[in-house]
């Protein structure tokens, strides 16, 4: 499904070069459940942005479903992002003047559904993250963990074939974190591909494969022992 | 040092009332090391904003150092916030167009120090959070955990007598979290008052007192057993 070949992401700052990703070679199959771990600044979000077609590498090739992403047009990239990928950002990126409900309804517009259907699916998604009673609030009227859950609901509402989740539980207490992991596990058992970044061991333990990044390179890549 | 008496924070949304804080009675002494825990939406950030004089309660009284905060002028409040309190926000709140160094230097302006002295203290603070090599980057050129550490350095640079930290390690890996807790422990042993919000048990275990909020009320208030 996903093939990264010699992927580099370099930033040139004056006379210094920051190597956010440094010659990454990686293959991820359909219906894998992957956790990226690694210290702060090791390249995890950069990796997610490239996987999600939100950013281009400086060098190297990214093959998604066999197609070279670098050769796709802006329209084709937008279509992939809207139809196939669900993205949960580390800093949520909600529309600040739209309610939780409107934020979650937004990705459904590309599915060509009518308003009543979009509303119904969005309310179901908000119920799954326990936020039905906050659907009218705009982001500034929500707690940090509530904004994070709106971002999660928005990514899940289109039932994406690839879910990219950058630290989806960083602002959540233990019980809420468990509820969210139940949702991700469900999606995985329905056949989807889940790729997440996390700092928490109990979250990484839900995944089947753990890839550790350090200074922009893959340092470890192992299977989680699970029944 | 801190006395909250019947503190309420209500939001009126149409015909519903959200009780973010619901009759809070609490006393915190000087040089305490307190962790607020509780589920997402339970009122922790609201509590921190009131303690930090960034928000006013709907009802009730807040006594800080014996003075009624509600009777203080805007100027007096600003002075308290600048001189006595260090605040680490759950969403960092960095100046987006200023470098990490400039962001950390900013609170020192109120101390009346000259530029070279402010720069020196800011660089030391960035070194303590392992970000000296990123001091020229602006927030969009930093990872999530790096932005969080800039916010931490900015709060610590004035050696505040009260440190208010809202989920200071939410975006940090385990090792970096430990490094940050070492800094907080140092500040505590120097006699400062540390009040933090956290979702992580190992972080709360550094504190001497743990207060659990639920639906805007204090549900638990216990001492951590430590040598
Ligand atoms: N401006 C507002 N208008 C309406 N409701 C609000 C507003 N700000 C906060 N709330 C509500 O007040 C409650 C408490 O919010 P608060 O941010 O204090 O929670 P929290 O404990 O910090 O949560 P988290 O762990 O998710 O950060 C939440 O249910 C939130 O929806
Ligand atoms: N626009 C940019 N310009 C320069 N350097 C950048 C830029 N964006 C990111 N970086 C650097 O690239 C490195 C990797 O960043 P990235 O956001 O991928 O880290 P991360 O692993 O997600 O970290 P965290 O766990 O803190 O979120 C960091 O050292 C960061 O400073
Ligand atoms: Mg990141
Ligand atoms: Mg909060």
């Amino acid at each position: 499904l996903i093939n990264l070949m010699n992927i580099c992401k370099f930033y040139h700052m004056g006379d210094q070069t920051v190597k956010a990703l440094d010659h990454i070679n990686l293959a991820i199959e359909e219906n894998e459940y992957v956790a990226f771990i690694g210290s702060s600044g090791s390249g995890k979000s950069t990796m997610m942005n490239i996987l999600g077609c939100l950013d281009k590498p400086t060098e190297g090739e990214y093959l998604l479903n066999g197609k070279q992403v670098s050769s796709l047009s802006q329209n084709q990239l937008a279509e992939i992002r809207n139809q196939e990928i669900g993205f949960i950002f580390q800093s949520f990126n909600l529309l600040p003047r739209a309610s939780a409900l409107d934020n979650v309804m937004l990705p459904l517009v590309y599915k060509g559904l009518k308003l009543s259907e979009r509303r119904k699916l969005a309310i179901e998604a908000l119920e799954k993250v326990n936020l039905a009673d906050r659907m009218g609030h705009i982001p500034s009227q929500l707690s940090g963990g509530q904004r994070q859950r709106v971002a999660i609901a928005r990514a899940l509402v289109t039932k994406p074939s690839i879910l990219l989740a950058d630290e989806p539980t960083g602002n959540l207490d233990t019980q809420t974190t468990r509820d969210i992991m139940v949702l991700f596990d469900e999606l995985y058992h329905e056949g989807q591909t889940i790729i997440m970044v996390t700092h928490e061991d109990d979250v990484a333990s839900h995944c089947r494969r753990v890839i550790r990044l350090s200074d922009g390179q893959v340092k470890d890549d192992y299977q989680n022992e699970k029944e």
Side-chain angles (χ1 to χ4, degrees), chain A:
Chain A
L1 179 68
I2 283 170
N3 225 317
L4 297 178
M5 305 190 289
N6 248 346
I7 290 287
C8 295
K9 184 72 183 180
F10 296 154
Y11 295 103
H12 300 289
M13 321 275 301
D15 56 347
Q16 298 222 338
T17 298
V18 174
K19 295 187 178 180
L21 294 178
D22 189 6
H23 295 92
I24 299 282
N25 289 289
L26 209 49
I28 297 176
E29 309 294 321
E30 224 179 299
N31 199 213
E32 280 208 54
Y33 199 170
V34 184
F36 279 103
I37 64 174
S39 51
S40 175
S42 55
K44 307 179 294 300
S45 296
T46 308
M47 170 76 77
M48 298 293 269
N49 289 337
I50 288 188
L51 290 175
C53 304
L54 293 158
D55 195 12
K56 287 179 178 303
T58 322
E59 296 173 28
E61 270 314 319
Y62 172 22
L63 291 175
L64 177 61
N65 265 324
K67 299 200 219 70
Q68 258 191 7
V69 172
S70 52
S71 65
L72 298 175
S73 71
Q74 282 301 329
N75 280 344
Q76 287 170 310
L77 284 175
E79 189 162 335
I80 289 176
R81 283 195 302 264
N82 296 330
Q83 308 276 14
E84 301 186 26
I85 296 174
F87 205 114
I88 300 165
F89 294 87
Q90 188 170 5
S91 50
F92 319 155
N93 294 10
L94 301 176
L95 295 182
R97 282 172 299 186
S99 68
L101 183 63
D102 288 337
N103 264 289
V104 177
M105 278 170 68
L106 191 56
L108 295 171
V109 172
Y110 304 105
K111 298 271 176 191
L113 302 165
K114 56 186 164 94
L115 181 61
S116 57
E117 185 66 13
R118 299 205 303 272
R119 212 181 132 79
K120 170 169 167 293
L121 288 174
I123 290 175
E124 282 176 13
L126 283 165
E127 283 170 344
K128 284 190 181 173
V129 297
N130 268 317
L131 278 182
D133 62 348
R134 289 284 183 274
M135 66 171 93
H137 290 227
I138 63 173
S140 61
Q141 297 170 329
L142 294 171
S143 77
Q146 288 168 345
R147 285 175 212 148
Q148 186 154 41
R149 281 182 278 156
V150 174
I152 292 169
R154 178 180 64 177
L156 294 181
V157 75
T158 51
K159 295 218 175 298
S161 50
I162 303 171
L163 178 70
L164 295 168
D166 195 345
E167 306 217 28
T169 64
N171 280 286
L172 303 176
D173 56 284
T174 310
Q175 185 53 52
T176 312
T177 296
R178 285 199 201 114
D179 299 340
I180 295 303
M181 292 316 292
V182 164
L183 293 180
F184 287 14
D185 289 354
E186 263 176 32
L187 208 68
Y188 165 66
H189 288 303
E190 286 169 12
Q192 316 299 31
T193 306
I194 314 260
I195 302 171
M196 54 191 301
V197 169
T198 184
H199 286 313
E200 300 177 55
D201 297 326
D202 5 0
V203 170
S205 68
H206 280 255
C207 301
R208 299 296 184 275
R209 178 181 177 190
V210 179
I211 301 171
R212 186 170 64 86
L213 295 182
S214 173
D215 294 323
Q217 300 182 344
V218 173
K219 285 292 185 323
D220 264 322
D221 188 346
Y222 57 89
Q223 297 294 323
N224 245 341
E225 300 310 321
K226 281 189 93 63
E227 79 288 353

